[in-house]
């Protein structure tokens, strides 16, 4: 069979771009199609703009702290109009870097929607068809909104926040996951009157229970009106704002309502079923450990497979695909013990098992501490840091690390190395503390707070 391309990548996000570049560097003839902007969720409407907003919004608390430390601080409030154009310029710059990297590697980029006609053929929106040896689907995910909630079309998603020309005065965030908690903290930091509704008993389901309680308390302490055990029953337009009715019969008005109720894989309208690719119960493309679908010539990586929906994981899956298919080096991504951070304020870094998960598997010891770091005691800020280690009784290995503190996202990266290396509690104990830091608590917790 004659092929137009050795690899055709559909979707120019983190996983697709990495795979396209690496495959081209092996000498393969590669094309990539992206219907929106190169960079995908992470660069255009996710991690990067979100983190820049975290930086921008965290200065409110920093200025309070600076004043308490004795600085004469005169801030005249946050000006979205000064921040937002700069944010957009930065995203344009990053997109152009992504494009330049693809072009330097020799990847042909098509700026249009593409679908799969059969296991070796893709069809461009403008009608051209290409015969390809391999097809990689890396189309990511998109926000999910509960379709039956009355007035749901009035709601925004995190995608819309990055496009807001001005900041609202009040906002309701619906959901209790990563995105809901991060955006509640960002908007609260910007001075927006922020309310959050979460339907369950505590935000951040799936994370360590002590950490969830701690982060919820700190978010409330910072001024977020966090309401658990409630949900939106319906919404109506009221003037310029939105009137929200809750399932427990309350009514409140907000300038904007932002739904962060999960994301779903972008699989619709790609021709996947016609080509023989199957989807799992959760809507993600079914793949084996080499990211190969049921159709041998079609692979999928990143959020569209709904495995672990994180940028660095998509990048690794893209790289492993290239190693496997183009470098004759079958490579599997290890999805265990992936460190991650929720960029709340304060941050939450976590790796490994929660206490409940670990206790369900084996006998454990739990070491934890919550305390006011010295800088907070000095200025009488109530915010507490939280450190927790979950340890196997039998092997002494650290099974989980959970940290809530300023910079926890940075700290958890190294804790992740320790876990990957199989560090034991005794290795932590034998490590001399770095003093005075918050993180020294990681090596100073001598007695378990409980065993299970
Ligand atoms: P999550 O799955 O983390 O959270 C979804 C939230 O919405 C949950 O609280 C869920 O409640 C709630 N929910 C779901 N359906 C409904 C509904 N019908 N009505 C009301 N509430 C509902 O999704 P996110 O969108 O926050 O994030 C998606 C993924 O993106 C994350 O899982 C993560 O992998 C990734 N991400 C990572 C980040 C990081 O690394 N810092 C940042 C942002 C996203 P319940 O718990 O009851 O199901």
């Amino acid at each position: 069979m004659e092929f137009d391309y050795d690899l055709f990548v559909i979707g120019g996000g983190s996983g697709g771009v990495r795979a396209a570049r690496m495959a081209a560097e092996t000498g393969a003839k590669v094309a990539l199609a992206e219907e929106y902007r190169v960079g995908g969720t992470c660069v255009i409407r996710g991690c990067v703009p979100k983190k820049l907003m975290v930086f921008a919004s965290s200065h409110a608390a920093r200025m309070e702290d600076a004043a308490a430390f004795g600085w004469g601080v005169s801030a005249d409030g946050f000006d979205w109009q000064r921040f937002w154009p700069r944010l957009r310029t930065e995203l344009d710059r990053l997109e152009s870097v992504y494009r330049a990297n693809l072009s330097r590697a020799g990847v042909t980029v098509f700026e249009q929607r593409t679908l799969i006609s059969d296991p070796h053929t893709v069809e461009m929106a403008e009608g051209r068809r290409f015969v390809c040896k391999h097809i990689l689907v890396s189309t990511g995910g998109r926000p999910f909104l509960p379709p039956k909630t009355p007035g749901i079309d009035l709601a925004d998603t995190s995608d819309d926040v990055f496009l807001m020309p001005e900041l609202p005065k009040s906002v309701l965030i619906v959901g209790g996951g990563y995105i809901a908690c991060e955006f509640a903290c960002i908007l609260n930091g910007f001075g927006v009157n922020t309310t959050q509704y979460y339907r369950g008993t505590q935000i951040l389901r799936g994370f360590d229970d002590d950490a969830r309680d701690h982060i919820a308390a700190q978010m409330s302490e910072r001024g977020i009106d966090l309401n658990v055990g409630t949900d939106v029953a319906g919404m109506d337009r009221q003037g310029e704002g939105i009137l929200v009715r809750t399932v427990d019969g309350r009514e409140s008005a907000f300038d904007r309502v932002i739904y962060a109720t999960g994301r779903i894989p972008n699989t619709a309208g790609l021709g996947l079923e016609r080509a023989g690719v199957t989807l799992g119960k959760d809507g993600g493309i079914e793949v084996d450990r080499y990211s190969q679908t049921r159709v041998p010539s079609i692979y999928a990586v990143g959020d569209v497979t709904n495995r672990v929906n994180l940028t660095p994981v998509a990048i690794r899956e893209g790289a492993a695909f290239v190693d496997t298919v183009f470098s004759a080096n079958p490579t599997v991504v290890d999805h265990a013990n992936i460190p991650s951070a929720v960029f709340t304020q304060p941050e939450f870094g976590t790796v490994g098992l929660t206490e409940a998960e670990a206790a369900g598997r084996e006998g454990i010891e739990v070491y934890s501490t919550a305390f006011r770091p010295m800088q907070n005691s000095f200025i009488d800020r109530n915010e507490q840091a939280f450190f927790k280690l979950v340890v196997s009784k039998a092997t002494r290995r650290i099974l989980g690390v959970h940290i809530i503190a300023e910079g926890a996202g940075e700290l958890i990266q190294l804790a992740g190395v320790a876990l990957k290396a199989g560090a034991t509690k005794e290795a932590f104990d034998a490590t001399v503390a770095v003093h005075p830091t918050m993180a020294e608590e990681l090596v100073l917790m001598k007695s378990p707070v409980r065993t299970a």
Side-chain angles (χ1 to χ4, degrees):
M1 202 185 231
E2 282 270 305
F3 296 110
D4 296 308
Y5 290 104
D6 298 311
L7 173 64
F8 198 103
V9 178
I10 306 179
S14 301
V17 167
R18 177 58 57 98
R21 278 178 56 191
M22 280 184 61
E25 281 158 10
T26 68
K29 191 174 176 203
V30 181
L32 178 147
E34 168 58 54
E35 64 178 334
Y36 185 52
R37 295 183 66 180
V38 175
T41 300
C42 172
V43 178
I44 304 299
R45 50 184 122 65
C47 319
V48 172
K50 179 273 307 285
K51 189 79 191 277
L52 289 168
M53 283 191 184
V54 169
F55 287 131
S57 63
S58 61
H59 287 294
R62 294 238 166 78
M63 279 182 285
E64 276 174 28
D65 291 0
F69 269 103
W71 285 91
V73 179
S74 73
D76 51 1
F78 175 70
D79 185 353
W80 180 253
Q81 300 308 336
R82 277 165 59 198
F83 170 71
W84 191 55
R86 198 167 178 150
L87 175 69
R88 292 172 71 93
T89 305
E90 176 63 359
L91 301 188
D92 291 346
R93 186 186 71 79
L94 289 171
E95 186 182 6
S96 66
V97 170
Y98 267 67
R99 282 181 182 277
N101 287 343
L102 283 169
S103 145
R104 201 172 306 122
V107 177
T108 305
V109 176
F110 294 97
E111 293 177 35
Q112 58 188 292
R113 192 165 171 79
T114 303
L115 52 83
I116 300 173
S117 316
D118 66 45
H120 285 288
T121 311
V122 295
E123 190 179 330
M124 316 302 290
E126 33 86 315
R128 265 189 295 173
R129 293 159 77 92
F130 295 116
V131 181
C132 314
K133 189 165 185 194
H134 300 285
I135 298 169
L136 178 69
V137 184
S138 50
T139 46
R142 64 192 150 85
F144 161 79
L145 290 98
K148 292 194 179 128
T149 304
I152 194 69
D153 49 318
L154 297 171
D156 289 322
T157 68
S158 59
D159 290 358
D160 302 302
V161 176
F162 301 121
L163 302 172
M164 281 187 322
E166 57 190 39
L167 275 183
K169 290 207 166 41
S170 66
V171 69
L172 170 67
I173 309 267
V174 183
Y178 277 83
I179 297 180
C181 294
E182 290 179 347
F183 277 91
C185 291
I186 288 169
L187 292 166
N188 178 60
F190 281 147
V192 177
N193 201 332
T194 305
T195 304
Q196 184 176 355
Y197 290 169
Y198 171 54
R199 65 181 178 181
T201 51
Q202 186 54 285
I203 55 169
L204 294 170
R205 183 168 66 81
F207 290 90
D208 185 82
D209 288 336
D210 288 342
R212 294 165 72 195
D213 290 344
H214 189 93
I215 201 88
Q218 304 299 301
M219 284 170 62
S220 299
E221 172 77 26
R222 286 218 179 187
I224 295 165
D225 181 14
L226 176 59
N227 299 257
V228 296
T230 192
D231 203 353
V232 174
M235 288 173 280
D236 288 297
R237 170 74 57 209
Q238 187 185 58
E240 294 290 293
I242 299 166
L243 185 68
V244 176
R245 279 166 283 112
T246 64
V247 288
D248 43 336
R250 286 178 288 153
E251 274 192 351
S252 309
F254 303 93
D255 287 348
R256 278 186 180 247
V257 176
I258 297 170
Y259 263 71
T261 43
R263 294 176 61 85
I264 47 173
N266 262 333
T267 54
L270 286 174
L272 293 167
E273 296 84 352
R274 188 177 44 187
V277 173
T278 50
L279 304 184
K281 274 200 242 46
D282 56 4
I285 294 180
E286 275 184 330
V287 288
D288 68 9
R289 49 200 210 112
Y290 296 103
S291 297
Q292 190 174 32
T293 70
R294 290 271 293 277
V295 181
S297 57
I298 304 179
Y299 288 71
V301 296
D303 290 8
V304 76
T305 63
N306 218 358
R307 286 175 281 183
V308 179
N309 298 336
L310 297 171
T311 297
V313 176
I315 291 173
R316 288 211 168 207
E317 289 168 359
F321 154 75
V322 174
D323 286 342
T324 303
V325 175
F326 291 93
S327 303
N329 176 25
T331 304
V332 170
V333 175
D334 178 4
H335 289 104
N337 286 337
I338 294 171
S340 75
V342 188
F343 291 98
T344 43
Q345 298 172 25
E347 284 175 15
F348 173 25
T350 180
V351 60
L353 301 180
T354 66
E355 178 180 343
E357 285 167 344
R361 295 183 189 186
E362 58 179 297
I364 56 162
E365 289 176 354
V366 176
Y367 298 79
S368 87
T369 178
F371 60 95
R372 243 187 351 169
M374 62 151 67
Q375 67 273 30
N376 288 355
S377 301
F378 184 77
I379 60 174
D380 222 14
R381 178 186 271 287
N382 271 334
E383 199 155 283
Q384 296 213 332
F386 170 82
F387 289 82
K388 178 168 179 176
L389 298 177
V390 181
V391 179
S392 162
K393 270 186 193 163
T395 66
R396 307 299 301 152
R397 281 172 71 150
I398 308 282
L399 302 174
V401 182
H402 311 280
I403 303 173
I404 299 166
E406 202 173 321
E410 307 292 340
L411 286 173
I412 208 68
Q413 182 69 78
L414 286 179
V417 176
L419 240 76
K420 234 17 188 185
T424 59
K425 177 68 171 67
E426 282 62 36
F428 271 52
D429 292 344
T431 305
V432 174
V434 179
H435 185 72
T437 63
M438 292 184 283
E440 65 184 306
E441 291 302 322
L442 282 172
V443 298
L444 294 177
M445 292 186 282
K446 298 294 179 217
S447 312
V449 290
R450 55 187 170 270
T451 58

